[in-house]
Amino acid sequence: IARRQRQMCIRDRTLPAWTYTSDAFLELEKRHLFLNNWQLICHSSNIPNAGDYFTFNFFNERLVAIRNESDEINVFHNVCSHRATKLLEDDGNCGKRIRCPYHAWSYDLSGNLKSVPHEEQFKNFDKEDHNLKPVQMEIFLGFIFAKINPSSAPSVADQFNPYLEELSLYKLEDIKPLGRVTMRPRDVNWKQVADNYVDALHIPIAHPGLSGLVGNSYGIELSEDGGFIHKMWGDLNKTRKKNLSNDLYKKLLPESKHLPKNKQMHWSYYRLWPNLAFDIYPDQMDFMQFIPINSRKTLIREIPYALPDERREMKAARYLNWRINREVNAEDTELINFVQEGMETSAYSSGPLAESEICLIDSAEKIRNLIPVSRLEVEPDTDEIVKINEELLENKDKKVKNIFDKKKT
């Protein structure tokens, strides 16, 4: 361990390149970052009626959010208790029963097993022992979150606590979906997408349209109480460069009476660590979720939402918003591909981070603390990564215990 510690990265540097290309490291992220943190399934408005459901697949896990006859929403493992068949596909309405397509076991909308064909053939069988397995869940501002593995991670509401007052202005509980879920594949590690989202220094260089729209007003900050939220924002009253989409958006965007004056032309971005982003605009909002497929492939899962508004000007503004952000997404896609390609070369191991890159510094440090093998500049052998990480975690725990013992004496 002593030899390995001499190779460790220092703070204010990026994570080493190998953590963006290693499937073994992604397995550690799966265990320490993803399955024990909150993942977003959908908004409650996606399942407004009894029997409405919405599925979410994450790594090897299958989840489903469903509304029952009492207007309650639950999240279950989307797995039949008989032979592990996937029960529901995509989203829709299952009527009054969840029926397995394999052997017709059926469950009510609260997950209780109700019907088993040939039940008499199962010895010592009690249907109550075979209900659907519930998943820990939370509904925050209408959004349905689930946490697959138990952990000490704070609630979503607690993590967003520093911003609850400003988020309340947008009436997110009342928004409705503008479209269906979209999956956008990217041939990069998930951290490339997440890092780029909170990278403020590239905005004036790589995004001339967005930079022209918000001028020098683009800001970035870490939330208080542990920095669970990375926030960015821009003021459209500070436009410094005109183009057609920007000009038309600002001209046509109608007043939103539920928003104060300083939010009428304000764009805000919130990243809930590690892999969720909320983009909030006066006219609409969307979420983007960065879903790892393997160490070099990510799906960006997204759905747009808005408050009901039939004004033609609002519909036009929403289209122009999409058009502006489509250009930004195309620019970002090229950039993150360049970075992923560079991390595959022998020329790069890690790089320095500027003091202003507070979200990148924070994210890298969170990963180093949770997965200390990421402090190693040189990639360990694949079959050694888990063992080394466990040793480093054990060593870290001993140091914390020693510090605590010294304070006690």
Side-chain angles (χ1 to χ4, degrees):
I1 292 179
R3 178 179 61 82
R4 295 180 191 127
Q5 285 175 333
R6 289 195 294 270
Q7 302 173 344
M8 286 187 176
C9 298
I10 60 172
R11 183 178 167 84
D12 300 350
R13 290 187 70 83
T14 66
L15 293 172
W18 68 267
T19 66
Y20 291 76
T21 61
S22 166
D23 283 325
F25 187 77
L26 179 60
E27 282 299 309
L28 290 174
E29 292 178 314
K30 173 183 171 182
R31 183 191 314 171
H32 295 285
L33 301 187
F34 291 114
L35 296 185
N36 59 357
N37 270 304
W38 296 101
Q39 297 298 324
L40 177 57
I41 298 179
C42 64
H43 192 271
S44 57
S45 63
N46 289 109
I47 50 172
N49 304 307
D52 286 349
Y53 67 86
F54 208 100
T55 64
F56 175 58
N57 299 330
F58 192 57
F59 293 109
N60 57 312
E61 302 290 346
R62 301 166 179 166
L63 307 183
V64 60
I66 188 164
R67 191 183 291 267
N68 66 19
E69 296 92 340
S70 301
D71 208 33
E72 299 167 334
I73 293 173
N74 292 293
V75 176
F76 299 107
H77 287 278
N78 187 19
V79 175
C80 184
S81 300
H82 181 210
R83 295 281 297 280
T85 309
K86 180 164 58 175
L87 294 167
L88 297 167
E89 289 272 9
D90 301 323
D91 61 283
N93 187 287
C94 64
K96 295 182 178 181
R97 288 285 188 269
I98 303 168
R99 185 177 183 275
C100 178
Y102 198 3
H103 299 100
W105 283 34
S106 67
Y107 307 80
D108 67 19
L109 301 181
S110 297
N112 301 304
L113 181 59
K114 289 297 186 181
S115 176
V116 176
H118 313 293
E119 183 177 346
E120 71 281 358
Q121 298 184 24
F122 295 86
K123 294 182 179 180
N124 302 316
F125 184 79
D126 187 341
K127 288 199 286 288
E128 289 187 3
D129 294 335
H130 301 280
N131 296 332
L132 296 183
K133 301 296 188 297
V135 181
Q136 184 179 358
M137 62 167 289
E138 178 182 354
I139 298 179
F140 171 72
L141 298 180
F143 289 98
I144 304 167
F145 288 83
K147 185 166 61 173
I148 295 167
N149 291 340
S151 74
S152 60
S155 69
V156 179
D158 284 345
Q159 294 184 55
F160 268 105
N161 184 63
Y163 301 111
L164 290 181
E165 185 175 348
E166 61 187 72
L167 287 173
S168 69
L169 299 172
Y170 292 91
K171 299 186 175 182
L172 297 180
E173 297 96 331
D174 300 326
I175 57 177
K176 308 295 181 185
L178 289 177
R180 298 178 62 84
V181 64
T182 300
M183 298 286 197
R184 294 190 281 123
R186 296 290 181 266
D187 293 325
V188 299
N189 184 272
W190 75 273
K191 294 187 291 296
Q192 304 288 14
V193 186
D195 290 351
N196 181 77
Y197 187 80
V198 298
D199 183 328
L201 290 184
H202 83 287
I203 300 296
I205 300 164
H207 298 309
L210 177 61
S211 178
L213 182 62
V214 301
N216 294 320
S217 70
Y218 199 86
I220 185 170
E221 69 181 24
L222 286 175
S223 65
E224 302 171 354
D225 303 325
F228 294 106
I229 307 297
H230 297 166
K231 183 190 175 186
M232 291 69 62
W233 66 89
D235 184 351
L236 276 59
N237 292 308
K238 306 293 184 181
T239 298
R240 66 180 182 183
K241 185 178 180 181
K242 294 187 175 184
N243 71 34
L244 182 60
S245 293
N246 292 353
D247 292 347
L248 285 175
Y249 176 80
K250 293 179 63 177
K251 179 180 179 180
L252 294 175
L253 180 66
E255 179 185 4
S256 296
K257 293 185 178 180
H258 60 284
L259 294 177
K261 185 176 180 180
N262 65 340
K263 298 297 184 184
Q264 294 291 334
M265 289 283 178
H266 191 82
W267 285 12
S268 300
Y269 310 89
Y270 304 84
R271 176 197 178 186
L272 175 65
W273 200 85
N275 66 318
L276 179 67
F278 281 164
D279 303 335
I280 299 185
Y281 313 103
D283 50 293
Q284 61 186 304
M285 69 85 63
D286 63 72
F287 75 75
M288 293 195 300
Q289 201 168 10
F290 318 133
I291 308 293
I293 303 303
N294 57 46
S295 63
R296 294 173 172 87
K297 189 175 184 65
T298 302
L299 285 179
I300 301 177
R301 177 178 182 260
E302 61 182 352
I303 306 177
Y305 299 88
L307 293 170
D309 192 327
E310 294 301 317
R311 289 177 291 178
R312 288 182 297 174
E313 297 89 349
M314 183 61 81
K315 291 180 179 180
R318 288 171 180 166
Y319 167 75
L320 290 162
N321 181 315
W322 171 82
R323 182 170 170 172
I324 293 166
N325 280 296
R326 182 181 62 174
E327 181 178 356
V328 173
N329 289 332
E331 293 161 347
D332 279 334
T333 299
E334 183 177 51
L335 291 170
I336 60 178
N337 285 336
F338 288 164
V339 177
Q340 184 70 33
E341 290 170 6
M343 288 189 175
E344 304 274 358
T345 71
S346 61
Y348 187 86
S349 55
S350 66
L353 292 171
E355 289 181 354
S356 63
E357 297 181 284
I358 53 175
C359 294
L360 291 173
I361 293 171
D362 178 73
S363 187
E365 195 63 12
K366 278 185 168 68
I367 292 176
R368 291 189 188 107
N369 287 333
L370 292 167
I371 312 175
V373 72
S374 63
R375 296 180 181 273
L376 300 182
E377 189 82 3
V378 178
E379 181 178 7
D381 292 338
T382 298
D383 57 359
E384 289 287 308
I385 286 178
V386 172
K387 179 182 176 182
I388 293 171
N389 193 66
E390 289 176 352
E391 291 175 353
L392 292 170
L393 279 172
E394 183 180 354
N395 191 49
K396 174 186 171 185
D397 290 341
K398 286 179 180 178
K399 284 184 177 180
V400 172
K401 184 178 184 300
N402 289 338
I403 293 170
F404 181 74
D405 289 342
K406 287 179 181 179
K407 287 183 178 180
K408 285 172 66 177
T409 57

